[in-house]
Amino acid sequence: MDALQDRYFADLPCFGCGPANEKGLRLKSYDEGDGTVVATFTPWPEHDNGAGFLNGGIIATVLDCHSGAAVTHKAFAHGWEPLGGALLPFVTAGIDVRYKRPAPLRDSVSLVATISAADESAITAEVRLEHDGKVRAEATALWKRWRPR
Ligand SMILES: CCCCCCCCCCCC(=O)SCCNC(=O)CCNC(=O)[C@H](O)C(C)(C)COP(=O)(O)OP(=O)(O)OC[C@H]1O[C@@H](n2cnc3c(N)ncnc32)[C@H](O)[C@@H]1OP(=O)(O)O
C-alpha cells in the first residue's frame, strides 16, 4: 500500500511530509479503510524539547501534516481538485493543538486522523498523537480551499 504522500505528491518539498524534501521529516500516512488515516513517526535526537521529550513544534508539524494527508485524501475522493494550477487543493487555516502528556523522544509515536466535517470550501480533521496507549497530543485542524492569486 502506497503512502498517501507518495501517491498524490511525490515531488512535494514540504518540511513535514514532502517526499522530495531530503532534510524534512518525510511523514508517511496510510488510509486504514475504516475512516482513519494512520502514520508512525520516529523522532530524531534533534527533536528534543529540552527536557528529554519530543518538541512541541515538531508535534504540531506532524499533527498538521498528518491531518493534511487525511484532508487531501478526502478532497480527492470528492473530486475537489486543486484550483487554477495550484499544487494543493486545501491549506491549513488553523490548528488548535492540545498537549496532554509528554511525548517520547526515543520511541516511535502513532498518529491517527479522522475527518469530522467536509465541504468544498473547508475540511476539518481531528488528529492525535499516541504512545503506549495514551494520547500525548491532539489537535483540531481546519483546512480551507487554496485559491491561487
Ligand atoms: C497526501 C499528502 C498531503 C499533502 C498536503 C499537505 C501539505 C502541506 C502541509 C503543511 C500545511 C501547511 O503548513 S499550509 C501553510 C500554513 N497555512 C498558510 O500559509 C495559509 C495562510 N492563510 C491563507 O492563505 C488564507 O487565510 C486562507 C487561504 C487559508 C483562507 O483565505 P480565504 O478564506 O480565501 O480568505 P481571504 O480573506 O480571501 O484571504 C485572507 C488573506 O490571505 C490572502 N491570500 C489568500 N490566498 C492567497 C494566495 N493564494 N496568495 C496570496 N495571498 C493570499 C488574501 O489576500 C487575504 O489577505 P489580505 O488581502 O487581507 O491582506
Side-chain angles (χ1 to χ4, degrees), residues 78-81 83 89-90 118-123 144-145 147:
H78 280 281
W80 300 331
E81 300 289 328
L83 298 172
F90 288 75
D119 63 37
E120 190 164 359
S121 66
I123 301 179
K144 288 192 174 178
R145 205 74 165 106
R147 292 181 174 76

Side-chain angles (χ1 to χ4, degrees), residues 35-67:
T36 65
V37 172
V38 303
T40 300
F41 173 64
T42 303
W44 307 347
E46 294 85 352
H47 296 162
D48 201 316
N49 74 344
F53 293 97
L54 182 55
N55 174 275
I58 297 295
I59 290 172
T61 296
V62 295
L63 289 170
D64 183 11
C65 282
H66 186 60
S67 77

Side-chain angles (χ1 to χ4, degrees), residues 11-36:
D11 296 331
L12 195 72
C14 176
F15 172 73
C17 60
N21 189 331
E22 289 183 9
K23 294 184 177 176
L25 303 178
R26 288 178 159 173
L27 189 70
K28 302 293 182 194
S29 306
Y30 299 89
D31 179 1
E32 284 285 89
D34 62 355
T36 65

Side-chain angles (χ1 to χ4, degrees), residues 4 8-9 12 64 68-69 72 88 92-93 143 146-149:
L4 297 174
Y8 295 128
F9 292 118
L12 195 72
D64 183 11
T72 303
L88 301 174
T92 324
W143 288 65
W146 179 246
R147 292 181 174 76
R149 296 174 191 185

Side-chain angles (χ1 to χ4, degrees), residues 83-101:
L83 298 172
L87 183 62
L88 301 174
F90 288 75
V91 292
T92 324
I95 182 163
D96 168 24
V97 180
R98 284 90 62 185
Y99 298 99
K100 312 285 282 189
R101 297 178 179 87

Side-chain angles (χ1 to χ4, degrees), residues 100-113:
K100 312 285 282 189
R101 297 178 179 87
L105 184 64
R106 294 176 187 83
D107 283 331
S108 296
V109 297
S110 300
L111 294 156
V112 183

